[in-house]
Amino acid sequence: TTNLPRTAVISYFDNTEQRQRELAYAKWQLELGSIPFERAALYEWNLTKDEQENARGRLVTDYDMLSANTFNARTDYFIANRVIDEDRIIFASLMNREHLMGMYLNGKYEDSAEYRYIEGDGSIRWRKVSVQLVPYPESNEIKTYVTNMDIDEEKREQLAALEASQRDFLTGAFNRETFIKKVTEVF
């Protein structure tokens, strides 16, 4: 007789979901390197626990570190003090914890919105807020990266080009297509 085993136990564990979370997290970590922090702010939140983990970039300011410590409380404060009235609904509809959780559960992992930001001196600048939802690799919790980027120069150039495309070069009057569109809006 030999001392070889007569039976073997094989265990199988499907770690596909875990591996996908690890890959998504690693991919986002690589993308962090492309953020121009000299004209941006990056906020990292554990959306599941509703806790801020980190904030970095030149646009991070003191009011970001207020005692308002939930995602929605910070958003409400920011909207009331830094977003112009016309853009508040756009900003608030995106930057809401419950909305972001629902977005994640429905398979949508990123979104963005452009808005006008009120500087401390009262001047207005265009910004773009982007949200990335990434699962933590070691749990079922959701990590949220919020990037707030200054896009003022690019946006003003874009708006100037749009305005120029709607006007006659010689007279400065609206071109035919724009005139018809504006008259139709009035009626």
Side-chain angles (χ1 to χ4, degrees):
T1 65
T2 64
N3 291 331
L4 296 175
R6 295 183 187 186
T7 59
V9 177
I10 299 173
S11 35
Y12 170 78
F13 175 74
D14 184 2
N15 67 346
T16 304
E17 188 176 317
Q18 170 70 22
R19 185 68 181 137
Q20 287 173 337
R21 284 196 304 264
E22 289 171 357
L23 290 172
Y25 192 79
K27 179 182 176 237
W28 175 248
Q29 293 297 318
L30 287 174
E31 289 179 23
L32 284 176
S34 66
I35 295 173
F37 287 107
E38 68 279 357
R39 61 184 193 113
L42 174 69
Y43 304 94
E44 297 177 40
W45 280 82
N46 179 322
L47 200 60
T48 306
K49 292 180 179 177
D50 202 7
E51 296 174 348
Q52 183 174 343
E53 296 180 339
N54 194 7
R56 58 186 155 158
R58 190 181 66 77
L59 298 184
V60 173
T61 59
D62 292 340
Y63 70 85
D64 292 323
M65 304 304 165
L66 296 170
S67 61
N69 58 3
T70 66
F71 191 88
N72 287 345
R74 293 260 179 102
T75 297
D76 291 344
Y77 179 85
F78 187 83
I79 289 170
N81 293 283
R82 295 294 184 203
V83 178
I84 70 165
D85 292 344
E86 296 87 351
D87 295 344
R88 287 181 177 174
I89 291 173
I90 294 167
F91 193 92
S93 64
L94 173 61
M95 296 301 294
N96 176 282
R97 182 174 175 262
E98 289 71 28
H99 167 74
L100 294 174
M101 296 284 280
M103 208 172 88
Y104 181 84
L105 294 174
N106 288 319
K108 186 173 180 185
Y109 306 117
E110 57 187 73
D111 203 354
S112 64
E114 294 178 352
Y115 69 99
R116 285 161 288 180
Y117 175 83
I118 304 167
E119 294 281 352
D121 63 4
S123 63
I124 307 293
R125 293 187 63 83
W126 280 96
R127 286 199 179 175
K128 180 177 182 178
V129 63
S130 302
V131 177
Q132 310 290 346
L133 303 166
V134 181
Y136 283 88
E138 65 279 350
S139 71
N140 288 326
E141 295 175 352
I142 304 165
K143 184 163 188 144
T144 303
Y145 293 94
V146 177
T147 307
N148 199 347
M149 182 153 337
D150 185 311
I151 60 164
D152 193 67
E153 187 176 317
E154 299 93 342
K155 186 66 176 183
R156 289 187 191 278
E157 288 173 4
Q158 178 188 23
L159 291 172
L162 177 63
E163 177 70 19
S165 73
Q166 296 175 340
R167 297 198 176 267
D168 179 74
F169 177 73
L170 293 174
T171 66
F174 286 122
N175 61 28
R176 178 180 165 78
E177 182 182 333
T178 304
F179 177 77
I180 291 170
K181 186 186 293 183
K182 293 216 180 266
V183 169
T184 303
E185 288 173 5
V186 169
F187 293 112

